Amino acid sequence: MSLSIIILAAGQGTRMHSALPKVLHQLAGRTLLEHVYVAASRLDHRQIQIVYGYGGKMVPETLAHLQADWIEQKQQLGTGHAVKLTMPTVPDVDNVLVLYGDIPLITFETLHLLVKAAGSNGFSLLTAYLDEPTGYGRILRDPSGNVTAIVEEKDATPAQKEINEINTGMMVVQARLLKRWLSELKNSNAQSEYYLTDIVEMAVADNIRVNTILPESITEIHGINNRAQLAEIERYYQLIQAQHLMRHGVTLMDPSRFDLRGDLEAGRDVRIDINVVIEGSVSIGNNVMIGQNCYINNADIGDGAVILPNCIIENAVIGAGCKIGPFARIRPDTRLADNVHIGNFVEIKKSEIGSGSKVNHLSYIGDSEIGKNVNVGAGTITCNYDGENKHKTVVGDNVFIGSDTQLIAPVSIGNGATIGAGTTVTKDVLADSLTINKLEHKTIKNWKRPGKKKS
Ligand code: UD1
Ligand code: CA
């Protein structure tokens, strides 16, 4: 026996009021559907099939990287109809796990228990007790507590609406039985839909016991129907992530003002100040400090680095002991070796900077290779673009570049060279030389500035 996993994701999500299918909305930087997929794919399984519909190819194209088969449901005729579409590739001996693409916080642990509860020839349902069960299908039980049916809110009698045990929608059913029951579904109900939930009554008629389990936390079964719920789940999820980081040695100055939209691997004694957003895949060494309002996307930050407030770092490697900011922008394909200082209002793009070098004020360094222990003076600009092509600037070790220098690329500067302040460097510079532009310093004595005109 093996497990076939079905994720239902064909619905529009009308209440999102969005052109984007609901399952593509993001929670902590990942689509809702990916959250479900990640939990499900940890189970031992044969295959994952995802039923899509609203938005057409948008869902399978956006999530083409998932290891899943995509099944189109052109018309959303109900959950039973959706599951039926996936049956052709499911072997009779399998168990089938049905999940919803808009219930993102379901955990591997709960799903594992649900699979176990079904056994090899059975049926298990994930149910929950809600104070406010409105909208959900209700679980009907006989006097001895056995499940007898699920009744949808819209088909329920007033007495049934009082029941607060609900159907989360997630279930495991033996495939051979499921196929038979699905073929017998009718849509004679309030919504004229083929309800997957009707198979419960069929199971009971066939003397198949329906086992139920409860999730460990009620948040696991919260579906997203509107943007307010999405925001609520986002905050909840962020807090869970923050608590996890704090338990592993990260200080968050305020866990409610920290956002992780991806994966963060952090060392010990990392201190993260408020309003920091971390996206993609980020790793941070030990003893790193990150100041307020930093945005860090896909970066690798070495031990002891200090990122001062208001920095943006994207697709970059920051060496150990570097000091960045405040107000620095480190753009993609930048590699800073150890102990590099990048100061305020400095932009670095697609450049490598050697250890101990400093670019402390108001500079733009692009398409460059800068050696070790270089001092780049304030306002230095690599002029890397001629309007058509980008060109490279190469600076050797121990170079001193005076303030307000322009390096017109392609250009290279030899080791130990000195460039005077205000120089426009248009040719390659020899090692250990001094380069200055011929600038006359002229003084006119007793100079009178023009007075203000009388009106
Ligand atoms: C369903 C259950 C209800 C349960 C609730 C939990 C049925 C008949 N009812 O009701 O008992 O309490 O979920 O949230 O199953 N979908 C498709 N194709 C379709 C219809 C739905 O892919 O034709 C997908 C939706 O995108 C969604 C999920 O199935 O992810 C549930 O559909 P929805 O219409 O929200 O079902 P509910 O009426 O909420
Ligand atoms: Ca729903």
Side-chain angles (χ1 to χ4, degrees):
M1 179 199 60
S2 187
L3 186 67
S4 283
I5 299 170
I6 317 294
I7 306 178
L8 302 186
Q12 172 185 5
T14 327
R15 284 168 286 169
M16 297 300 279
H17 297 286
S18 175
L20 204 61
K22 176 162 70 175
V23 293
L24 291 185
H25 282 261
Q26 297 205 340
L27 168 65
R30 254 193 212 115
T31 62
L32 298 179
L33 183 52
E34 281 171 292
H35 282 272
V36 179
Y37 172 89
V38 166
S41 60
R42 285 180 60 196
L43 296 163
D44 229 339
H45 62 276
R46 177 198 302 280
Q47 58 174 343
I48 299 181
Q49 296 188 75
I50 305 176
V51 180
Y52 70 98
Y54 180 79
K57 288 262 173 274
M58 211 193 291
V59 179
E61 277 172 10
T62 309
L63 300 175
H65 56 282
L66 303 186
Q67 302 275 312
D69 295 316
W70 295 92
I71 308 293
E72 186 175 14
Q73 186 192 27
K74 288 207 171 73
Q75 274 183 295
Q76 279 77 70
L77 301 179
T79 48
H81 176 256
V83 171
K84 196 173 172 186
L85 294 175
T86 67
M87 288 298 109
T89 59
V90 175
D92 280 358
V93 292
D94 275 18
N95 265 353
V96 176
L97 167 64
V98 178
L99 299 173
Y100 289 2
D102 58 356
I103 306 186
L105 297 186
I106 188 65
T107 61
F108 160 76
E109 287 75 14
T110 295
L111 295 179
H112 184 69
L113 292 176
L114 188 64
V115 171
K116 275 202 349 210
S120 60
N121 193 33
F123 195 151
S124 61
L125 265 184
L126 184 66
T127 74
Y129 289 91
L130 298 183
D131 295 337
E132 204 13 281
T134 309
Y136 286 95
R138 308 296 206 285
I139 306 294
L140 308 187
R141 292 181 185 266
D142 68 16
S144 32
N146 299 310
V147 175
T148 55
I150 297 175
V151 60
E152 291 305 299
E153 168 88 21
K154 288 190 176 122
D155 303 293
T157 64
Q160 288 168 335
K161 284 183 185 162
E162 296 295 311
I163 297 170
N164 66 356
E165 186 185 10
I166 61 99
N167 170 35
T168 66
M170 290 171 260
M171 59 178 77
V172 175
V173 190
Q174 206 288 318
R176 184 176 45 80
L177 298 170
L178 177 62
K179 288 179 189 182
R180 174 150 56 82
W181 296 330
L182 288 174
S183 71
E184 291 167 14
L185 283 184
K186 306 240 165 12
N187 65 350
S188 46
N189 51 54
Q191 303 182 82
S192 300
E193 281 184 8
Y194 295 93
Y195 289 166
L196 176 61
T197 44
D198 284 351
I199 67 170
V200 171
E201 262 175 295
M202 298 178 188
V204 172
D206 284 347
N207 282 317
I208 300 292
R209 192 187 147 75
V210 179
N211 298 312
T212 62
I213 68 157
L214 299 169
E216 190 169 303
S217 155
I218 207 72
T219 52
E220 287 186 51
I221 63 109
H222 282 337
I224 307 286
N225 291 309
N226 58 48
R227 293 178 200 246
Q229 286 170 344
L230 184 59
E232 210 177 291
I233 296 279
E234 175 81 24
R235 287 334 307 162
Y236 169 82
Y237 192 80
Q238 290 298 345
L239 208 54
I240 299 276
Q241 293 188 132
Q243 282 162 354
H244 176 84
L245 289 169
M246 292 187 288
R247 273 198 300 273
H248 289 83
V250 175
T251 294
L252 294 173
M253 299 309 288
D254 182 353
S256 70
R257 285 181 289 174
F258 168 75
D259 289 85
L260 170 57
R261 302 174 189 153
D263 297 302
L264 171 61
E265 212 182 285
R268 282 163 59 165
D269 299 309
V270 168
R271 202 186 99 133
I272 300 179
D273 214 320
I274 59 167
N275 297 334
V276 168
V277 176
I278 291 183
E279 253 177 42
S281 174
V282 172
S283 86
I284 298 179
N286 297 320
N287 300 304
V288 170
M289 304 244 282
I290 300 179
Q292 302 95 295
N293 309 319
C294 287
Y295 171 69
I296 299 172
N297 182 332
N298 288 311
D300 196 337
I301 299 177
D303 292 344
V306 176
I307 316 293
L308 293 166
N310 303 299
C311 289
I312 295 181
I313 299 175
E314 281 176 277
N315 278 309
V317 176
I318 311 292
C322 282
K323 194 173 155 199
I324 314 290
F327 296 100
R329 180 169 182 207
I330 312 292
R331 292 175 53 199
D333 301 318
T334 292
R335 295 182 78 86
L336 306 182
D338 296 347
N339 303 310
V340 169
H341 289 189
I342 305 295
N344 36 234
F345 309 109
V346 171
E347 175 178 346
I348 312 278
K349 186 213 86 174
K350 203 176 182 182
S351 294
E352 293 199 16
I353 300 188
S355 59
S357 290
K358 295 179 179 148
V359 189
N360 271 333
H361 326 271
L362 301 148
S363 289
Y364 170 65
I365 304 294
D367 303 293
S368 302
E369 248 172 61
I370 293 185
K372 295 175 192 154
N373 301 314
V374 171
N375 189 84
V376 177
T380 295
I381 307 291
T382 55
C383 306
N384 58 333
Y385 186 50
D386 61 14
E388 295 294 341
N389 299 297
K390 299 280 168 65
H391 300 283
K392 198 158 177 181
T393 300
V394 179
V395 177
D397 297 340
N398 303 306
V399 168
F400 180 93
I401 299 175
S403 299
D404 190 29
T405 291
Q406 297 92 50
L407 302 164
I408 314 284
V411 73
S412 74
I413 296 176
N415 293 339
T418 303
I419 312 291
T423 301
T424 301
V425 179
T426 57
K427 288 183 287 197
D428 287 355
V429 168
L430 292 176
D432 302 315
S433 62
L434 168 67
T435 299
I436 44 171
N437 289 153
K438 204 172 162 198
L439 283 176
E440 200 186 346
H441 177 132
K442 201 165 146 189
T443 300
I444 297 169
K445 287 183 182 166
N446 300 322
W447 174 254
K448 290 273 183 294
R449 286 191 293 268
K452 205 166 197 161
K453 276 188 192 143
K454 289 188 183 105
S455 55

